[in-house]
Amino acid sequence: MTTALTLSGSTRKGSLNQMLQHHIGTQLEAAGVKVTAISLADYELPLFSEDLEAEHVPAAAAKLAALFTSHDIVFWASPEYNGGLTPLTVNTLAWLSRQRPSPFRHPVFGIGGVSTGKYGTIFGLSHLRDSLSKIGALVVPTLLGIGPADEAFDADGAPVEPAIIRKVETIVHELTHFSRG
């Protein structure tokens, strides 16, 4: 059975990106995928530093790397801060990129995000795609940027805009049909 790991680059309560993480997980399950949803709050990683790395690699980095490596799909919901990535996402990528074997060489990655702005995290997602690609990840073509957030979801956390619903269907299809071969 195909497996997927879902996570969010936001750990705040009521995060719309966690809502997106959950929605994509539900859609992947409906497509026959076994989904593991995690919160990065459960993986304590200090601010990355090569000096710190030389002294001690946090156990959370190895655990996260093993999770990435053991799943066929990774979906990362990421908010956008000032047109870029959240510090949580950047720090997580830094620690994971130093793990061996590389946790980015097995799964197929999908990325999406929700923001209050009309561009729906598209700038941050472009940065995330670029960063993931540079460290060996295969990222599916669809960037799932959703915004403005206050109009994006119904009471059950499902997208309401027809174009976004189609993009969700497209990214789920890509995640379940792309392969590293």
Side-chain angles (χ1 to χ4, degrees):
M1 172 178 263
T2 302
T3 59
L5 179 68
T6 65
L7 62 143
S8 172
S10 172
T11 57
R12 77 174 174 82
K13 292 179 180 169
S15 165
L16 293 171
N17 285 281
Q18 290 175 16
M19 183 184 303
L20 176 60
Q21 172 193 357
H22 175 74
H23 180 70
I24 293 296
T26 301
Q27 298 305 302
L28 286 166
E29 286 175 340
V33 176
K34 182 176 186 239
V35 176
T36 303
I38 64 167
S39 171
L40 289 177
D42 297 330
Y43 299 87
E44 191 171 321
L45 295 171
L47 187 60
F48 179 80
S49 160
E50 286 184 358
D51 292 337
L52 182 60
E53 179 186 36
E55 296 171 15
H56 172 72
V57 174
K63 287 180 186 175
L64 270 175
L67 276 172
F68 276 51
T69 303
S70 68
H71 287 79
D72 304 305
I73 296 166
V74 173
F75 179 78
W76 198 316
S78 181
E80 178 179 275
Y81 287 7
N82 303 314
L85 300 175
T86 65
L88 177 61
T89 296
V90 171
N91 194 54
T92 302
L93 286 171
W95 278 112
L96 287 176
S97 71
R98 308 291 280 199
Q99 304 305 300
R100 297 294 171 255
S102 171
F104 301 102
R105 301 265 179 198
H106 173 70
V108 173
F109 285 76
I111 56 177
V114 184
S115 78
T116 56
K118 67 180 179 176
Y119 296 111
T121 69
I122 209 69
F123 301 118
L125 291 176
S126 293
H127 183 184
L128 182 55
R129 174 194 299 283
D130 190 43
S131 295
L132 285 168
S133 296
K134 285 179 179 170
I135 53 180
L138 173 62
V139 184
V140 298
T142 298
L143 295 178
L144 184 58
I146 301 174
D150 58 346
E151 304 166 9
F153 297 99
D154 65 18
D156 296 323
V160 295
E161 185 181 331
I164 297 300
I165 294 168
R166 283 191 303 278
K167 272 191 158 185
V168 167
E169 292 168 353
T170 300
I171 200 167
V172 167
H173 177 80
E174 290 170 353
L175 287 169
T176 56
H177 287 80
F178 278 50
S179 170
R180 284 209 176 261

